[in-house]
Amino acid sequence: MDKFYVQMDSFSRQLVHDYEGVMTKIAQLGYNGVEIFYGLHGGYTAEGLKKFFNSINLEVISSHVETEDTEENLKYLPRTGCKYIINPGLAVTNVKEAYETAKFLNDMGRKAKNAGMKYGYHNHSNDFLKLGDKMICDILIEETDPELVAFELDIAWAYRADVDAAEYIRKYPGRFELIHVKETKEFPMKLDFMKPIPKDKQGEKDISGWPKLDPEAAKKLDEGLSINCELGKGIVDMRAVKMSADAQPCTPLYIVERDYAWTGDIFTTLAADAGYLRAL
């Protein structure tokens, strides 16, 4: 694989302490660019951010943005050179909500197009739950305009839902313009519909966007995230995914999302991820 990117969420905790130093490390590891996570812009203006990234040979390819922050980001992101604005996931629990969500994605897609960008949707396992004879993700893909809405297939969340990501790409060729590269062990939890969490119940987040947790809760979270294991050592068939994704009538963007540093250090882990992808 010649080109691959990385989501800032992978190293957001380090990023807030040394933005320029961390991003320079990422460039040195061989990544071609980044997917911004929840507004981590390092305090830069849009033009300043683009200039900084250009100086270290990185590009802003996409950004995960919460729905309520979309308007603000549609003013900021295009000036960085960013091509995609991605919805990180929505709660759908019935057929009516699925069709309403598809309409919402089309509406947001029009706004993004007017700003010179493309709107995208990132799946989780719950998006592969069935509503009658179709999965939620089937409805979202079939009811959205390919000219307005792209999909960012998170392959680990697909496999955790017992969905073969390579086969699913072949079902809807051309819709998966972005691929979240993530390995996973077997997922032990029973899947259920995502329930929206009210703002007043979400808890306080730290400056990196992660929830503030006491040491015991943080340890449990880290243990849970360890299912995001070393690339090639889990249940994902990455070669098959790449073959299906590359065969689409679009050129997919491969973006590493690293929830867990299996080496004990996020940078050596991301270095190993880059090495794996270069050899793929």
Side-chain angles (χ1 to χ4, degrees):
M1 188 180 293
D2 297 326
K3 292 190 77 171
F4 43 84
Y5 305 83
V6 62
Q7 192 193 64
M8 286 186 180
D9 182 24
S10 303
F11 45 86
S12 60
R13 290 170 176 170
Q14 292 81 7
L15 199 62
V16 296
H17 301 296
D18 182 12
Y19 195 93
E20 289 78 11
V22 168
M23 294 313 311
T24 300
K25 275 187 182 180
I26 294 302
Q28 291 169 346
L29 293 179
Y31 288 90
N32 298 95
V34 296
E35 178 174 70
I36 294 173
F37 172 71
Y38 289 5
L40 288 173
H41 303 145
Y44 281 97
T45 64
E47 292 78 8
L49 188 67
K50 183 177 183 179
K51 183 178 180 181
F52 167 62
F53 278 128
N54 284 343
S55 74
I56 57 173
N57 295 315
L58 288 179
E59 63 176 319
V60 178
I61 195 67
S62 58
S63 179
H64 273 212
V65 174
E66 294 277 25
T67 299
E68 59 268 27
D69 299 327
T70 302
E71 298 289 344
E72 178 185 350
N73 276 274
L74 283 176
K75 295 174 184 175
Y76 180 94
L77 290 170
R79 293 179 286 131
T80 69
C82 186
K83 297 176 177 63
Y84 293 88
I85 182 166
I86 307 295
N87 189 305
L90 295 166
V92 176
T93 62
N94 57 55
V95 173
K96 181 174 180 288
E97 289 176 356
Y99 281 90
E100 289 173 347
T101 298
K103 181 181 181 303
F104 167 78
L105 294 177
N106 279 326
D107 291 343
M108 299 302 279
R110 291 185 192 93
K111 291 183 178 181
K113 187 175 182 179
N114 288 338
M117 299 183 70
K118 192 162 188 179
Y119 201 71
Y121 183 76
H122 171 277
N123 68 273
H124 292 89
S125 290
N126 58 285
D127 291 300
F128 296 104
L129 288 166
K130 275 199 166 184
L131 296 172
D133 62 347
K134 290 187 178 183
M135 294 185 290
I136 293 168
C137 208
D138 291 335
I139 296 172
L140 298 185
I141 292 171
E142 292 170 10
E143 296 299 319
T144 49
D145 183 343
E147 295 298 315
L148 300 176
V149 181
F151 286 82
E152 180 174 63
L153 180 63
D154 187 303
I155 57 179
W157 284 116
Y159 273 90
R160 290 168 189 169
D162 199 27
V163 169
D164 183 322
E167 186 177 306
Y168 199 67
I169 293 169
R170 291 193 296 273
K171 184 177 179 180
Y172 296 108
R175 298 307 305 273
F176 300 104
E177 298 181 29
L178 307 97
I179 306 291
H180 254 195
V181 176
K182 189 192 297 181
E183 184 60 272
T184 185
K185 299 176 185 175
E186 292 284 353
F187 195 51
M189 293 176 63
K190 180 181 180 297
L191 296 177
D192 201 355
F193 291 103
M194 183 186 288
K195 303 292 194 300
I197 303 173
K199 282 289 183 184
D200 60 344
K201 301 291 184 184
Q202 288 182 9
E204 191 178 359
K205 294 181 180 180
D206 64 25
I207 193 170
S208 70
W210 284 75
K212 284 188 174 180
L213 302 171
D214 61 57
E216 185 177 344
K219 183 180 178 183
K220 285 184 178 179
L221 175 62
D222 206 46
E223 288 172 354
L225 292 175
S226 69
I227 59 170
N228 176 209
C229 58
E230 181 180 355
L231 289 178
K233 297 297 178 67
I235 63 174
V236 171
D237 188 342
M238 191 62 213
R239 281 188 192 283
V241 169
K242 183 178 184 299
M243 189 176 297
S244 292
D246 288 350
Q248 295 182 103
C250 65
T251 302
L253 301 169
Y254 293 96
I255 304 169
V256 172
E257 184 181 30
R258 175 50 69 180
D259 297 330
Y260 177 76
W262 58 269
T263 64
D265 170 75
I266 189 59
F267 299 109
T268 55
T269 297
L270 287 173
D273 290 341
Y276 176 92
L277 292 177
R278 274 192 291 270
L280 194 64

